[in-house]
Structure formats: C-alpha cells, structure tokens
Amino acid sequence: MSYPPTGYSRRSVLKSLVVGSAAYVLGDLPGEAAGRGRLPRTSPEAAGIDPAAVLAFIEGVEQKVGGLHSMMLLRHGKVAAEGWWTPYAPQHPHMLYSLSKSFTSTAVGLAVSEGLLTVKEPVVSFFPQDRPEKVGDHLAAMQVRHLLSMSTGHDKDATGPMRQAPDGNWVKAFLALPVEHAPGTKFVYNSAATYMLSAIVQKLTGKTVLDYLTPRLFEPLGIAGATWESDPRGINVGGWGLKVKTEDIARFGQLYLQRGRWEGRQVVPEAWVEEATQKQISNGSSPNSDWNQGYGYQFWRCRHGAFRGDGAFGQYCVVMPEQDAVLAITSGVRDMQAVLNVAWEHLLPGMSAAPAKSDPVALKRRLSGLAVLPPQGKETSPTAKTIAGRTFRFEPNGEGFESARFIVRNGRCSVTIRHQGEEYRLEGGENWARGKAPLTQALLGGTEPARVATRGAWEADDTYTLKLCFYETPYIETLTWKFSGDQVTLTRQMNVGFGPTARPALTANAVAQD
C-alpha cells in the first residue's frame, strides 16, 4: 500500500544451574544460510572493512568505556563481525530501554500507511473520554507529530507524573498535565510522548504495539520471541520495555538502511523511513555531540550523516548510509557518547570501497575471548572452612534480604539467599553459572526474578565477592561479603543505574552451624 500524504484523513526461582559458555561468531561461517532466518555472514575484509579497525574499536571501548555486552557490524547487508561478552550470548534477548521508541515510531508509520491516522491529528481527538474537562490551547494544538518529535510543549519529561496515576490510567494522567509551551517549539526528551503513541496505535487497532508489529514487521524480518512491558491497563509502554536479540536490532537497522525494503518487499513505507530519520526539530548546537544533531520521529540524527535509535546504558542501532553499514550494540555503560566517539574514530576510517588487506587473525582471536570481567581473587580462602554450612540472618532492612547460607564444596563457595520469602542459590567458582536471582522492580519494571549468571572469588582472606550478571539486561551487580567472626557485612554495587548505584550495607549474624 502506498504511503498516504500528510493530509490523509483517519479511517474509522532458581531451581537449577548450568554452566554458561562463551559465544562468538565471525564471518565465513559454514553455510551462510545455516540457522533459519539468520542474516548472511561474510568476513570483514570481504566487506571492505579493515579487521584492524574493528579490533581497535573493541579495544578502544574496553579501555575507554567498558561494559559492552554485544556488538554486530553489518556492511553491504552482511554481518562482517560480531561478538558477545560471556555470559551474554546471541540467543538471549536484551533490554532495549529507549531503543524501543524507534520500533513504536515504526508502528505509527505503518498505521499511517494503512490510513488509520495522520501525523497532524490532534492527540486529544483519540481519547475523548480521557481528556480534561477544560482543554487548554496548547493541549488542543498538540498533534501526533509532536509526540513523534518530542516537541509536545511540556517543560520537562512527563513520564514520572504520568506513571504515578493512582488509577493506572496513564493516558488520562498525561492529558491532565500542564502544557507550558506551544507544541513544536521546544524539544524535551519525553518517554511519556512515546507511550501516548503506543496508546494511540492500540486505540485504533485494538492490538498492542507488539501484536500490531508482529505480522507487519517482526515476522517479515525473522524476529521471534520479542516481549514488551505494559502499563496497568495492558498498553505497551512504547518508550521502553522491548526486549529482542542483538541480531534483531541489526535486522531493524538494515531495514531502515534499505529504506524499508526487506527481501524484495516494502515492509515499511519509504516515505516514512525518510520522514522519521530526518531532522524534525533542533535539540542542541554542539558539533561534537551526537545528541545535538537533530531529532526525527523517535530517531536521533548523528554526526557523519548517520542516524540511530538508542537506549539507556548503551543500547544502539546505528545506521550509516554513507558507509552502507549498521552497528548494533547492547551494553551497560555510563557514557554513551564515548562509545560513539570510539566508533567514529576507528570504524569509519576502516570502511572503504575496496576490500581491506589486513590480517584478520588478531581480530578473530580477540572476539573469541570476549568476556565480562570476573571477580578478581582466589578460588578459596581459610575463611571458607569457618563459614561452610552456616546461615547468617540479616538485621531488619528495606532491601528484602532475610538470610544467607554458605555452602563450600571442593573449595568452591555458593550462597543461598532468602529474599522476600524466596530462595535463590548463587554459585561461585571459576565459570559462569546460570540461574535466577532478585533484581529490584525499579530496574526491571516487574516482580519476577531475573535470569542471572554468577561467578565468585575471594578478594581477600576475609572477603568473598560474587558477581551477578543479569544477562538479559544492562545490569551487573557485585555482592561483597566481608566476614568478621560470627558476622558478615554485605555491600552491593550496580554497574549502572538511574540513581545511586551503591546500596546500603547490610549486616547479618550467624544463627546456626551444621
């Protein structure tokens, strides 16, 4: 169906553990079609990418930024280099945070192409029962395009107040908020605006954005197993909450690089790709910031003629039309600009029209050994014998921790934590062990325990460190247990977070010994 003009009117708990293993793939795999729906593979040099440039990028981000979980580099439609930092692996989805927004934008573009709405329709027109009794001039002037371009007229992000709606009606709460500026005149990054786009799609189609996109976008691209967080009324949150695999991010970027075409089919209208990825509003003036190059319809403009979707702590889908390339990354980093800086510094000069001649062996070796840095120390300690089989009960705390029991076998220490009435066994040792463990609701947006991989080491004779890698999220938590006689003090440090990453120290006292 052709893309309609802008004025077109609307129609109508842990039970067992297994040891994790490394994940690595790079170019020239046996049979490019192996694995149904996999993107075609090639080598960096065959794609005109200098392997030394990719190696420099990997080493650069590890030295200057750290925290990558996966990367996949495509050129000319083929995967030229890819790698996962164990225990992250290609078969696991990853939280996208605000990279979800670009998928929501795509849903809106598809709905526009089906004649369900236009970007110039007033937002309040979709929700007559939820609009305030008195609609102010600015709210009345707010259109779908203002939601898409983060120019709603709000003076600050409306997400917090919207989510605090006591009745769970986020739409009504959004429409009740003051709109201080004329829509279209001020850029304010506003995840609530993306939520409203999701709500509009669901209002018009009777389907969540996830269900709406499944036959129109995900199935044609070969994306399976996607999940999306919802609000209390069952509306996908839109601005965050989507989980897909790294290769799925790469597929999405390749689709946009190909201006909406996939395997000979126009999956997303070319006009929407053009409109969504061009500058719709100014968002700053620094020539050195990839957050100041203009904002489209839930896509950021970048330096070097590129554009991207991205999410908190380093979830990227970077599309580079001038290089005919896509870079997909998942990570847990604090400085997102630094990752892009390293990409521009090393990857761009490494891509040329003619195949590169550098030796790829060093890159293959480097990618095959990618891994999250494990706890540093010894496998055992004299203290291990004194705590073996002992249970320590925590003093009353607001963190939900009740007790910890330490088991030592062949020098290897594991901890069974009782947290909010549930028990989780966290294995130490020299290999990553997979299971489940609690991760705060504020981070995950849910109450279910998260999938985790764990490793442990004795940092000192009296100090045991457990690293918890929540491998479907950006989060890696370090638990440090410091023993003193019949008492242990637990400190917890998260790698990234929207607030303080260190949690209050908790004290537990020994209560029994086998």
Side-chain angles (χ1 to χ4, degrees), residues 139-333:
L139 178 60
M142 188 192 301
Q143 299 176 356
V144 173
R145 62 191 175 100
H146 299 130
L147 299 176
L148 286 161
S149 60
M150 299 295 189
S151 60
T152 59
H154 291 105
D155 195 56
K156 57 184 178 181
D157 188 352
T159 307
M162 179 190 75
R163 296 182 68 182
Q164 293 170 8
D167 61 353
N169 188 336
W170 292 9
V171 169
K172 187 174 182 179
F174 177 92
L175 296 175
L177 293 172
V179 183
E180 296 89 346
H181 309 277
T185 63
K186 181 181 175 67
F187 174 84
V188 173
Y189 193 72
N190 191 347
S191 294
T194 321
Y195 165 80
M196 290 298 290
L197 294 170
S198 174
I200 289 171
V201 170
Q202 187 158 334
K203 180 79 171 183
L204 295 175
T205 67
K207 298 178 180 180
T208 65
V209 166
L210 177 60
D211 288 341
Y212 179 73
L213 285 177
T214 294
R216 295 166 174 81
L217 178 72
F218 294 148
E219 289 179 355
L221 268 60
I223 297 175
T227 61
W228 210 318
E229 183 185 339
S230 296
D231 79 346
R233 298 194 303 157
I235 300 171
N236 289 158
V237 295
W240 67 97
L242 179 61
K243 289 174 68 172
V244 297
K245 303 175 185 68
T246 307
E247 184 159 339
D248 299 334
I249 300 172
R251 293 171 190 273
F252 183 68
Q254 186 65 31
L255 173 73
Y256 269 77
L257 179 62
Q258 296 169 176
R259 305 184 67 80
R261 291 190 66 80
W262 193 263
E263 296 180 346
R265 171 186 170 189
Q266 195 71 44
V267 174
V268 176
E270 182 175 357
W272 182 262
V273 172
E274 175 68 23
E275 191 171 347
T277 61
Q278 68 181 342
K279 180 179 176 179
Q280 295 291 342
I281 189 169
S282 177
N283 59 355
S285 58
S286 171
N288 298 319
S289 171
D290 284 292
W291 277 261
N292 280 201
Q293 306 305 309
Y295 195 76
Y297 285 168
Q298 311 286 292
F299 286 88
W300 299 87
R301 292 297 307 177
C302 303
R303 294 175 290 167
H304 308 290
F307 63 88
R308 75 188 187 281
D310 71 31
F313 314 125
Q315 323 318 315
Y316 303 90
C317 180
V318 183
V319 180
M320 298 169 271
E322 294 177 11
Q323 290 74 31
D324 193 25
V326 174
L327 178 62
I329 291 175
T330 63
S331 61
V333 300

Side-chain angles (χ1 to χ4, degrees), residues 78-101:
K78 295 183 178 182
V79 179
E82 60 190 308
W84 283 259
W85 278 253
T86 305
Y88 290 89
Q91 68 270 26
H92 300 303
H94 198 284
M95 293 176 69
L96 299 191
Y97 274 115
S98 287
L99 177 49
S100 308
K101 291 178 169 66

Side-chain angles (χ1 to χ4, degrees), residues 376-398:
Q376 302 299 296
K378 301 177 181 179
E379 186 175 5
T380 189
S381 159
T383 304
K385 294 181 180 180
T386 69
I387 65 170
R390 305 189 76 180
T391 297
F392 294 76
R393 181 169 293 126
F394 287 99
E395 295 176 355
N397 62 83

